[in-house]
């Protein structure tokens, strides 16, 4: 059983700050509010490949 990993990139500065395990068979793009240490605030992070 393997889990697929995706990176979450800050939508403001583009830094990849987080890596998460992706849910199987997910259609929507992940968008999560997380703290970006480059921006110094919480920003919207999107998945990247
Ligand atoms: Zn940022």
């Amino acid at each position: 059983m393997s889990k697929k990993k995706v990176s979450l990139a800050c939508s403001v500065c583009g830094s990849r700050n987080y890596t998460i395990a992706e849910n199987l068979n997910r259609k929507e793009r992940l968008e999560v509010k997380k703290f970006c240490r480059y921006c110094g605030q919480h920003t919207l992070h999107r998945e990247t490949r």
Side-chain angles (χ1 to χ4, degrees), residues 13-44:
C13 70
S15 298
R16 295 183 182 190
N17 304 311
Y18 299 94
T19 304
I20 59 164
E22 186 185 34
N23 292 330
L24 295 175
N25 301 323
R26 181 178 49 72
K27 287 284 174 111
E28 316 89 47
R29 277 185 86 79
L30 264 183
E31 293 189 344
V32 191
K33 271 217 153 190
K34 283 185 174 293
F35 184 80
C36 175
R37 64 192 184 96
Y38 298 97
C39 296
Q41 61 187 349
H42 282 81
T43 61
L44 193 64

